[in-house]
Amino acid sequence: MLHFLIIAPLLFSIFTPILYQNIKRIHTGWMVLLIPISIFVYLLSYLPKIVDHPFHLTFNWLPSLGINYDLYVDGLSILFGLLISGIGSLVVLYSIFYLHKTEKLGHFYTYLLIFMTAMLGIVFSDNVFVFYVFWELTSLSSFLLIGFWNYREKSRYGALKSMLITVLGGLAMFAGFVWMSILTDTSSIREMIENSELITNSPYFIAILILILTGAFTKSAQFPFHIWLPDAMEAPTPVSAYLHSATMVKAGIYLVARLSLIFAGTDEFFIIVSSIGLLTLCWGSYMAVKQTDLKGILAYSTISQLGMIMAMLGFGTGVAVFAAIFHILNHATFKGSLFMVAGIVDHETGTRDIRRLGGLYTLMPITATLAIFGVFSMAGVPLPIFNGFLSKEMFFDATVDLSEEAGTIYQSIGPFIPFIALLGSIFTFVYSMILFFKTFTGKIQLDKLERKPHDPPFGMLLSPIVLVTLIVVIALFPGPFNHYLLTPATSAVMGEVSQTHIKFWHGFYNLPLFMSLTVLVVGIILFLTREKWVRVYNRIPGSWSMNKGYDYILDGLIKGSKLVTTSYMTGSLKNYVRMIIGFMTVVGLYTFIKTDGWAFTFNGATLSIPEIAIAVTMMIAAISVLFISNRIAGILVLGVVGYGLSLLFVFYSAPDLALTQLIVETVTVSLFLLAFYHLPKLKEEKESKTNNFINLVISVSFGIFITLVGLSSHSSKWFDSISSYFVETSYTLGGGNNIVNVILVDMRGLDTMFEISVLGVAALGILALINYKKKGDVE
Amino acid sequence: MSILSGILFTCGVYLLLQKRLMKVIFGTVLLSHGAHLFILTMGGLRSGAPPILKDGVTTYTDPLPQALILTSIVISFGITSFLLVLAYKAYKTNGTDNLEELRGTDNE
């Protein structure tokens, strides 16, 4: 059943265009809404079972390769599954009111449903290769959704960028998967976890780890791969809310959490994941303050929050993992609602620029209230009605506890981590305040807005209201969420059952609360004085940015490959011939020397004087062709070579050859002479000395190569020629005395047949060429 | 004889690298001569009677390379004559036989 449910959105996506085309009266979204809701309800029914008993389902796909559509249902996958289907339902509901019926809704919902399948597939897959298939499907559908308004230049740029970066990471991850499955001889994640020491003890462990983490970091927009996320904000807002805050960007988080049982506990994992996570946390929150676009702020905020979750997964302690899982849930709720609020503001005012916004509180009271909850939850304001506060508190708790962990690496780095976390959280607080107060308070600038804003229709508000309700409910009653969702998920990541209670209140004398208060105080001060220190952005990052690096690399790749291609694809026949012949000579001579082909033995054949005379004549003739500039002389000298060849055939007892060569040479020469009148004069062409020299070197070395091969081939003879067979059976089987002719028409008659066809085709070709006239030619 | 065929190849390749279409055709002719001679040489130049059965003769030269060369001669003749006509037509159509001027456009 679950197998079917995962691909249900994909199957339904086939019908969306049909529904869109045929049922014009109803917004297509209403029909789509059914799918995520039913998945959500079905997954809820798993919840009670899953608490203690994870289970797996299997469905044969490619059993001969050991690749099966295996599903694994445990706390972690259920948590993500519920997020995907739950927020998916809300986003579809929101998009019904956000997107007008004139948009290409058929496309939109098709892409969205493909994405939903891909995402569900990722979180439930047990097989790494199936996982990878769904992983790339998310990249693809995200690409389609970002470029939904494909008539905009920026949408296309953002879509391409996200595609390139996430696919780059996906391929790296795939390499890591292949490596892991070779080491453990299985492609099932569960079995890999059981044999995890095979991976951690292998000498390639670091390479595998980096490859897998590259996949996770690109998908989850970790530093320095975060650059695609702000550009992905060109997507319609429901898409941003769904893909780029709640679900897709958490795929990397999911990957790290899922494979924690293999990697966690090693120093490398701790160092890479924690440091990248913390760096992303600080950089994202720092850069968010600089943004002026609502969605830009939210994008950088997502980056920073994902960094925070990633860092906690990197810590790998019980409380840290629990906090990470908790924050995944919380972030999905408040970030989803904030995106929807940003979409509403955009929808009602026509702009998302905070420099033009302000004072919307009086005009849009409901929206503003919703925003308060989201923003304060994101900032971690120490009030127990915001779930973000609870998970942030746990984050601080985890960082403080880190130095008490066993292991030198924890003890040496641990003490610094709370300060980094503090720094990131302060900036988080500042941008959250900017986000709210610049939009909803202050003076309203009606003249800069496109229309007079007011609260949107209730349907549009419904989804954010649900999410905000969740924010408060999770904060006030964390117990059931903890029991059914968070604890099973943590157990799935840690591999052991752990019970953590979410406390509203830690009591007065504890460090995390003190840290939260520090964030509050310093954050408020920084927010109020931001005009004074905002100049710091001119210094860091200043003119230097990751985006420029990306553009530079992309530009460089295009320019570089153009340069390379034009350097050898000159369009000049001469250069190609040079390359072909030169390459043949180099490879041939190298092989010749490498295999020691120098041993020449001369046996049997001695040259008589007439033979030598003919050979010398031919040499002279051939060389003189090079220098002749008179065409008739050229043709005749060429004839000398041919007739010389037929004379040689006479000497070497080849009467048929001599005959044919004689005739063919005669015909060729007469053909040349026939065409002589029409042919161009062999004018002396001016060639530069170096060109001539290169030509000479290439041709001489090729000649030497041929000579050497000819000479050395006589020196080694491994088996007798089969010619004695022809000699013996020519009369008895073929019934002829002329052995060559018997070979041609009897023993190897097929060659002759096709040789005849070659002649025929040549004749037809010549005929066609002569008769061919360009259009408009008059004769 | 290997040296001779080597020289024929040298001249053939050198001509191939020239600008004039005619010289290129000359080059292919020389190349095919060289190749035929090369095949014959590789078969062994041991002298013997021509490969026509006759009473009293015991050693014949190798008939197989001869058959191969015979095939090859005919094919190269076909190719050469086709090339010649092609060169003639190209010259008539384009008004030049300089290969450097016969380059494709940049967009190719």
Side-chain angles (χ1 to χ4, degrees), chain A residues 570-572 574 626 653 660-661 671-672 678 680 686 692 699 703 707 713-714 723 737 739 744 755 769 772, chain B residues 4 6 10 14 17 19 23 33 41-42 48 51 53 62 66 70-71 73-74 81 84 88-89 97 100 103:
Chain A
T570 50
S572 151
K574 188 172 76 186
L626 307 186
S653 320
T660 318
Q661 179 65 33
L671 206 68
F672 270 104
H678 301 284
K686 296 275 182 292
N692 265 334
S699 47
T707 311
S713 70
H714 288 294
S723 304
N737 282 325
I739 306 172
L744 280 177
E755 161 198 342
L769 266 182
Y772 166 80
Chain B
L4 176 58
T10 306
Y14 188 82
L17 294 173
K19 281 182 190 163
K23 288 220 164 181
H33 285 335
T41 320
M42 299 283 271
L53 289 177
D62 199 337
Q66 297 194 10
L70 203 59
T71 311
I73 287 174
V74 175
S81 41
L84 194 66
Y88 155 72
K89 201 72 187 175
D97 71 326
E100 298 298 305
R103 285 188 195 198

Side-chain angles (χ1 to χ4, degrees), chain A residues 31-348:
Chain A
M31 291 170 269
V32 174
L33 189 57
L34 199 68
I35 298 288
I37 287 182
S38 47
I39 295 176
F40 184 73
V41 171
Y42 184 77
L43 287 179
L44 272 182
S45 74
Y46 273 130
L47 264 189
K49 281 186 273 178
I50 219 67
V51 175
D52 302 311
H53 305 290
F55 62 98
H56 70 277
L57 306 157
T58 192
F59 181 83
N60 280 0
W61 182 31
L62 299 169
S64 54
L65 293 176
I67 299 175
N68 292 321
Y69 180 22
D70 290 343
L71 302 182
Y72 190 53
V73 188
D74 65 359
L76 189 63
S77 44
I78 276 288
L79 170 68
F80 274 89
L82 286 173
L83 279 181
I84 293 158
S85 53
I87 302 208
S89 318
L90 296 175
V91 161
V92 171
L93 181 67
Y94 177 75
S95 68
I96 293 172
F97 296 94
Y98 186 83
L99 290 174
H100 197 255
K101 267 200 257 181
T102 48
E103 299 269 11
K104 287 182 287 183
L105 291 177
H107 290 80
F108 181 78
Y109 287 111
T110 305
Y111 302 156
L112 203 68
L113 287 170
I114 293 175
F115 172 77
M116 206 178 283
T117 280
M119 209 54 218
L120 286 170
I122 284 183
V123 299
F124 283 108
S125 288
D126 179 44
N127 188 295
V128 285
F129 297 113
V130 178
F131 183 100
Y132 174 72
V133 168
F134 285 120
W135 183 277
E136 291 299 28
L137 202 56
T138 60
S139 297
L140 180 69
S141 49
S142 165
F143 168 78
L144 291 169
L145 284 167
I146 296 169
F148 179 63
W149 287 313
N150 53 19
Y151 46 85
R152 291 187 193 166
E153 169 80 36
K154 284 183 87 177
S155 293
R156 297 199 301 269
Y157 174 79
L160 183 66
K161 192 177 194 175
S162 75
M163 182 78 164
L164 286 176
I165 292 176
T166 52
V167 167
L168 172 87
L171 284 174
M173 184 190 76
F174 184 57
F177 280 165
V178 170
W179 219 331
M180 275 174 28
S181 89
I182 289 171
L183 283 177
T184 55
D185 199 26
T186 175
S187 55
S188 152
I189 296 176
R190 269 177 309 124
E191 287 169 28
M192 280 179 185
I193 289 172
E194 279 162 24
N195 300 314
S196 59
E197 70 280 356
L198 285 175
I199 297 170
T200 43
N201 292 339
S202 90
Y204 313 114
F205 173 65
I206 299 213
I208 296 174
L209 184 67
I210 290 174
L211 285 173
I212 299 270
L213 288 180
T214 307
F217 289 167
T218 48
K219 200 69 154 188
S220 284
Q222 301 292 299
F223 191 89
F225 304 113
H226 64 275
I227 48 172
W228 66 267
L229 192 61
D231 281 308
M233 291 303 130
E234 292 304 319
T237 303
V239 172
S240 308
Y242 189 33
L243 273 69
H244 307 125
S245 72
T247 55
M248 187 178 101
V249 287
K250 294 218 175 81
I253 302 274
Y254 174 81
L255 177 68
V256 172
R258 178 51 89 203
L259 298 181
S260 268
L261 279 178
I262 298 178
F263 296 128
T266 57
D267 286 351
E268 294 90 344
F269 179 80
F270 170 72
I271 292 171
I272 299 177
V273 178
S274 309
S275 57
I276 295 284
L278 287 171
L279 180 60
T280 314
L281 163 66
C282 294
W283 185 254
S285 57
Y286 175 71
M287 289 300 289
V289 178
K290 188 189 170 196
Q291 307 302 314
T292 53
D293 177 23
L294 281 182
K295 280 175 88 176
I297 298 178
L298 289 173
Y300 275 103
S301 140
T302 304
I303 291 168
S304 115
Q305 304 274 333
L306 290 170
M308 176 175 151
I309 298 172
M310 197 62 98
M312 286 192 278
L313 286 175
F315 297 161
T317 58
V319 61
V321 170
F322 186 84
I325 302 283
F326 193 22
H327 202 68
I328 288 171
L329 176 66
N330 294 344
H331 178 248
T333 54
F334 66 68
K335 193 53 68 66
S337 70
L338 281 177
F339 265 109
M340 290 175 185
V341 165
I344 292 171
V345 170
D346 186 15
H347 205 263
E348 294 301 320

Side-chain angles (χ1 to χ4, degrees), chain A residues 573 675 678-680 765-766 768-770 772 774 777, chain B residues 19-22 25 81-99 101-103:
Chain A
L573 196 62
H678 301 284
L679 287 176
I766 290 169
L769 266 182
I770 289 174
Y772 166 80
K774 260 190 179 171
D777 270 7
Chain B
K19 281 182 190 163
R20 301 277 157 198
L21 209 49
M22 280 304 291
I25 296 174
S81 41
F82 181 75
L83 268 183
L84 194 66
V85 177
L86 191 64
Y88 155 72
K89 201 72 187 175
Y91 176 62
K92 286 277 146 178
T93 314
N94 295 314
T96 176
D97 71 326
N98 190 334
L99 282 174
E101 291 166 18
L102 284 173
R103 285 188 195 198

Side-chain angles (χ1 to χ4, degrees), chain A residues 433-475:
Chain A
M433 292 309 115
I434 291 177
L435 187 68
F436 180 75
F437 287 108
K438 291 281 276 182
T439 313
F440 293 103
T441 63
K443 222 173 70 189
I444 191 155
Q445 301 155 301
L446 275 180
D447 51 322
K448 287 191 184 169
L449 301 180
E450 285 169 23
R451 41 191 169 270
K452 190 168 158 44
H454 54 79
D455 264 329
F458 179 69
M460 210 168 187
L461 285 169
L462 194 58
S463 297
I465 286 175
V466 172
L467 285 172
V468 165
T469 317
L470 267 177
I471 291 176
V472 179
V473 169
I474 292 174

